[in-house]
Amino acid sequence: SSPHLVQVRERIRINGQPISRELFSKYFWLVYNRLEETKDPVHASMPAYFRFLTIMAFHVFLQEKVDLAVVEVGIGGAYDCTNIIRAPVVCGVSSLGIDHTSILGDTMEKIAWQKGGIFKPGVPAFTVAQPERPLEVLRDRAQERECPLYLCPDLDAFEGNHQALELGLAGDHQRSNAALALQLAQAWLQRRGCQGLGELKEVPPSTELAGRPVLLAPAFRPTGAMIQGLRDTEWLGRTQVLSRGPVTWYLDGAHTTSSIQACVRWFRQAALNQDRPLDGSEVRVLLFNATGDRDTTALLKLLVPCHFDYAIFCPNFTQIPMMSNADQQNFNVTLENALTRCLENQRTWTRLLEEKEGQDSWVPTPLRAGGLLQLAPTRGTLLLVPPAPPPLNSPALVFPCLAQALQWVAQGRDPQLAEPTTVGAHPHPAASSGAVLLQEAATVRVLVTGSLHLVGGVLRLLDPALSQ
């Protein structure tokens, strides 16, 4: 799977657990040295990062004699380096979304064509409810590749006796993921000749293609192991909640418009289903970053209705200087480029709030003081500058690294984080007043979203055990 959140070993798991440091080191150098010894002397290049890890993962699974390998594509499918598997047991395509447009294309149809590239002759494939045209593209790709493609029924079809299946992952969108997982598991178990897999619920012929371009797969009664698997599923950085006294962190690596919409629905259910206290004792904070070619304006616009008191923007760097964890460094992005992106996000958020302020007024008066953080290159720190009139509903701040951002948000109230630095970083009164609000609030709710790498950096700081 990719990307990893804290350590690269997360990408290669056996029985759900990242392989050990010893095993990773052993196979890394074995594969690296073998490639080094056998590479073309004329075109002497090693595989790039993701390709190397893919080769290494296959080698690990073969050497460790796993019964079943679940392989997630990197980007797309058709031209992804994971797509060298000639005869998988089964293939699955989850909900399509607009992402990696510079590589996959800028429409859902183009992206569907890329995803359908994993289909193989005679290998069953399953997908979930998709918009009509992209689903037709998947159907055409399946026919072209002589692949039997089925549409998963809703999870409701698997729930017998009016007993709802309990999912370990929050969010309504996880129901389609769960339905897909059940079908993929069933296909593998049937291939192995396992008995007692659960009674099939045959689909009447009249409904098989009713208004659908793809055949509807029959549902079945999940086994006890399947029910437990759905219930016990955990995945760090997806709809994850960490409660630390008055500060609660809500972590979700959403980074597309559809996943941000799902994140907002989850956050509203998990944190905002109650009105905020009249005394203003609840403070809501957004911690956001986005990478690549993503439309951050579209993403931020979806987050405005959550009514955040503060929006914090910072790069995915854990600390400055970046010397803490090589696993979390992106060597393709400089600090200057990352900060420039953050400042652009800050300006976008400010503009969105000004537009919102023209429509309604939902922020308590004490929060109408505003201040923006800007980089002071000569000092290597961030300085507040007075806001331009009219005063903003919600201050938007930029920090150079996650450690400083989290320290400011927590204000010493999360025992895992150090006290915020007081010298030079927050000289403007607006930041000071914000610090007081954060220090005195009965509840501080922090949503971290926009990037899996951002979530990974936050997790590393909030739960150092993950780095062990």
Side-chain angles (χ1 to χ4, degrees):
S1 62
S2 64
H4 61 272
L5 291 175
V6 178
Q7 295 196 77
V8 68
R9 296 183 293 110
E10 298 167 25
R11 294 174 182 243
I12 306 174
R13 300 168 183 255
I14 296 179
N15 293 333
Q17 297 302 314
I19 61 174
S20 66
R21 291 174 182 267
E22 294 74 24
L23 216 54
F24 186 93
S25 179
K26 168 188 169 181
Y27 286 121
F28 177 94
W29 288 113
L30 194 154
V31 172
Y32 185 93
N33 290 333
R34 186 70 55 85
L35 290 171
E36 185 72 34
E37 292 163 5
T38 57
K39 69 184 180 185
D40 186 334
V42 179
H43 306 94
S45 62
M46 294 287 280
Y49 183 81
F50 184 83
R51 292 185 179 187
F52 180 89
L53 288 173
T54 301
I55 296 168
M56 180 178 157
F58 288 144
H59 187 70
V60 169
F61 295 148
L62 288 168
Q63 293 300 307
E64 296 298 312
K65 298 179 173 56
V66 300
D67 300 301
L68 166 68
V70 181
V71 180
E72 180 197 35
V73 301
I75 294 177
Y79 305 119
D80 192 83
C81 65
T82 60
N83 200 27
I84 64 169
I85 303 172
R86 296 176 185 174
V89 172
V90 63
C91 296
V93 176
S94 58
S95 295
L96 298 172
I98 297 290
D99 198 14
H100 303 294
T101 51
S102 62
I103 299 172
L104 304 181
D106 55 2
T107 68
M108 292 278 275
E109 289 80 6
K110 292 177 182 177
I111 291 171
W113 187 93
Q114 295 278 357
K115 301 289 186 181
I118 67 171
F119 296 157
K120 301 293 186 293
V123 174
F126 295 88
T127 189
V128 296
Q130 312 280 8
E132 183 178 357
R133 279 294 300 131
L135 187 58
E136 290 173 352
V137 172
L138 289 175
R139 175 202 61 194
D140 294 344
R141 287 286 269 167
Q143 291 174 350
E144 166 195 320
R145 292 173 164 264
E146 300 178 345
C147 160
L149 176 65
Y150 302 93
L151 184 67
C152 294
D154 294 336
L155 193 62
D156 300 0
F158 297 89
E159 297 175 334
N161 303 323
H162 306 290
Q163 185 173 4
L165 289 167
E166 183 183 344
L167 302 185
L169 297 176
D172 292 339
H173 58 292
Q174 295 296 352
R175 291 182 65 80
S176 71
N177 289 337
L180 179 60
L182 286 172
Q183 294 285 8
L184 299 179
Q186 176 86 341
W188 161 249
L189 293 168
Q190 285 180 328
R191 171 78 169 265
R192 290 290 295 261
C194 296
Q195 301 298 316
L197 295 180
E199 177 187 344
L200 284 176
K201 302 176 181 178
E202 292 295 341
V203 180
S206 59
T207 65
E208 284 182 351
L209 278 172
R212 304 180 188 90
V214 175
L215 193 68
L216 187 68
F220 55 89
R221 184 181 302 154
T223 65
M226 289 177 175
I227 293 170
Q228 180 182 349
L230 293 176
R231 184 180 62 240
D232 295 346
T233 297
E234 295 179 352
W235 200 255
L236 294 180
R238 275 76 164 182
T239 59
Q240 182 180 1
V241 180
L242 286 176
S243 296
R244 303 286 180 76
V247 185
T248 304
W249 306 89
Y250 299 85
L251 311 172
D252 191 77
H255 51 272
T256 65
T257 52
S258 56
S259 60
I260 287 286
Q261 287 171 331
C263 171
V264 167
R265 288 193 296 270
W266 162 70
F267 184 61
R268 283 180 176 276
Q269 278 186 325
L272 307 184
N273 51 5
Q274 296 181 344
D275 294 333
R276 69 170 69 203
L278 295 176
D279 62 1
S281 61
E282 175 184 301
V283 176
R284 300 173 186 171
V285 181
L286 170 66
L287 178 56
F288 180 91
N289 192 38
T291 58
D293 54 7
R294 296 182 175 91
D295 183 354
T296 52
T297 299
L299 302 184
L300 289 171
K301 194 168 186 176
L302 295 170
L303 291 160
V304 168
C306 290
H307 302 172
F308 293 104
D309 301 306
Y310 294 95
I312 310 296
F313 304 99
C314 76
N316 295 336
F317 303 128
T318 309
Q319 294 178 337
I320 303 294
M322 291 88 70
M323 58 185 180
S324 54
N325 187 356
D327 277 7
Q328 292 189 299
Q329 289 189 41
N330 184 346
F331 295 99
N332 297 317
V333 179
T334 66
L335 174 60
E336 182 180 1
N337 289 341
L339 280 172
T340 299
R341 183 81 176 264
C342 291
L343 292 168
E344 291 171 356
N345 291 339
Q346 179 195 53
R347 286 190 289 270
T348 298
W349 184 258
T350 300
R351 177 175 53 79
L352 290 171
L353 287 177
E354 288 172 341
E355 293 172 359
K356 177 73 174 174
E357 189 178 52
Q359 300 171 26
D360 61 21
S361 179
W362 39 257
V363 175
T365 303
L367 295 180
R368 289 188 176 275
L372 304 181
L373 284 172
Q374 290 186 347
L375 185 65
T378 55
R379 298 180 57 189
T381 184
L382 293 174
L383 299 175
L384 277 163
V385 297
L392 301 177
N393 270 354
S394 176
L397 295 81
V398 171
F399 288 88
C401 68
L402 283 166
Q404 288 192 25
L406 296 193
Q407 287 168 2
W408 187 80
V409 171
Q411 289 295 320
R413 304 179 76 186
D414 186 326
Q416 197 60 64
L417 299 170
E419 293 280 349
T421 53
T422 56
V423 180
H426 316 296
H428 192 274
S432 301
S433 63
V436 170
L437 284 170
L438 289 165
Q439 290 165 5
E440 296 182 352
T443 302
V444 179
R445 303 190 189 278
V446 190
L447 175 62
V448 183
T449 193
S451 163
L452 280 166
H453 303 288
L454 174 78
V455 168
V458 170
L459 271 174
R460 182 174 182 272
L461 292 169
L462 294 179
D463 189 357
L466 294 174
S467 302
Q468 302 307 312

